Amino acid sequence: MNNETIHLAIVEDDNEIRQTLTLIIDGSPGFSCKYAFPDGESALASIGNLPIDIVLMDIDLPGKSGIEVTRLLKPKNPELDFIMLTVQSDDDSIFQSLCAGASGYLLKDTGPVALLGHIREVFKGGAPMSSQIARRIISSFRIIENPLSDRETEILKMLSLGLNYKDVAEDLFLSPHTVKTHIKNIYAKLHVKNRAEAIYKAIKKNLI
């Protein structure tokens, strides 16, 4: 590809959006968009043979999803970049798209100027995200600090398996009083009042 013009294809089932994107991109200096597909199947049949640099890919397509199409195309066309352009902002869609090989993830409310800037960024090797998508990713990767000690975590795991205080004490060679003290500390640290709440909260926060 020549470095002066970025060549794109669009995969979008909404006819109005597809036409609008094509007009915006193809009418902007330094960009060319001559190929647009209404579904994943037609994109799969053609994209691998086209002289393009980047594909703007919707996720919610009839038939195969944009994520599935990206997953199928990327290994055969490693030099081709895929930018997801979608209304989907849930964690599952984001991470499945990135795992499928997408280089960027943008929401459809991205303005034309910002969209063109993001396309240039991908062309130069970047990986742009809409701001709220980036925040979700950062939030998902935050390390949750476990307030429980190793012993408390061990005891709570045993309780979650259905063991009672006496069983825990015997298995860990502790006195029942010591086990009860640990459990009292667990409740305090997790801000819960009983065993069921402690187990539920610990599982939800991936502490056990």
Side-chain angles (χ1 to χ4, degrees):
M1 298 296 166
N2 84 56
N3 293 324
E4 296 182 357
T5 301
I6 304 173
H7 300 268
L8 295 98
I10 295 171
V11 186
E12 166 63 61
D13 64 312
D14 186 294
N15 186 54
E16 183 176 349
I17 294 175
R18 189 172 64 252
Q19 290 182 352
T20 299
L21 286 171
T22 301
L23 288 172
I24 290 172
I25 295 169
D26 202 46
S28 299
F31 298 88
S32 174
C33 186
K34 305 299 183 186
Y35 311 98
F37 304 94
D39 53 62
E41 285 73 16
S42 58
L44 278 171
S46 303
I47 281 181
N49 300 313
L50 299 178
I52 55 176
D53 304 294
I54 296 171
V55 178
L56 288 185
M57 180 74 71
D58 187 20
I59 288 180
D60 191 15
L61 298 170
K64 294 184 185 300
S65 73
I67 295 172
E68 188 176 358
V69 174
T70 300
R71 186 179 293 116
L72 291 170
L73 284 172
K74 184 63 177 180
K76 298 177 182 178
N77 307 274
E79 76 291 343
L80 194 57
D81 284 309
F82 293 83
I83 301 175
M84 311 313 281
L85 186 61
T86 178
V87 296
Q88 308 290 343
S89 61
D90 60 285
D91 292 348
D92 191 49
S93 294
I94 297 167
F95 288 108
Q96 281 196 40
S97 295
L98 298 178
C99 289
S103 298
Y105 198 105
L106 306 175
L107 298 180
K108 285 185 177 177
D109 59 4
T110 303
V113 174
L115 176 61
L116 294 174
H118 290 318
I119 291 171
R120 288 192 194 94
E121 187 178 344
V122 167
F123 187 66
K124 294 177 181 178
M129 307 277 169
S130 292
S131 57
Q132 71 185 82
I133 299 300
R135 282 195 295 270
R136 290 186 77 97
I137 292 175
I138 291 170
S139 176
S140 296
F141 278 104
R142 279 191 187 125
I143 298 173
I144 300 173
E145 184 178 352
N146 190 343
L148 306 180
S149 69
D150 291 343
R151 178 63 85 186
E152 290 165 351
T153 300
E154 185 178 24
I155 289 173
L156 191 53
K157 282 181 180 178
M158 296 176 76
L159 293 177
S160 73
L161 295 174
L163 278 69
N164 59 35
Y165 297 180
K166 183 180 178 181
D167 293 333
V168 172
E170 289 178 354
D171 287 357
L172 297 180
F173 303 102
L174 299 172
S175 70
H177 175 72
T178 299
V179 172
K180 287 182 180 179
T181 300
H182 280 305
I183 291 171
K184 183 179 179 181
N185 291 335
I186 290 170
Y187 291 175
K189 289 180 178 180
L190 295 183
H191 307 289
V192 298
K193 298 178 180 179
N194 56 52
R195 169 176 171 161
E197 288 181 3
I199 293 170
Y200 173 78
K201 193 166 186 177
I203 292 174
K204 187 176 180 181
K205 291 183 174 295
N206 296 315
L207 302 181
I208 60 173

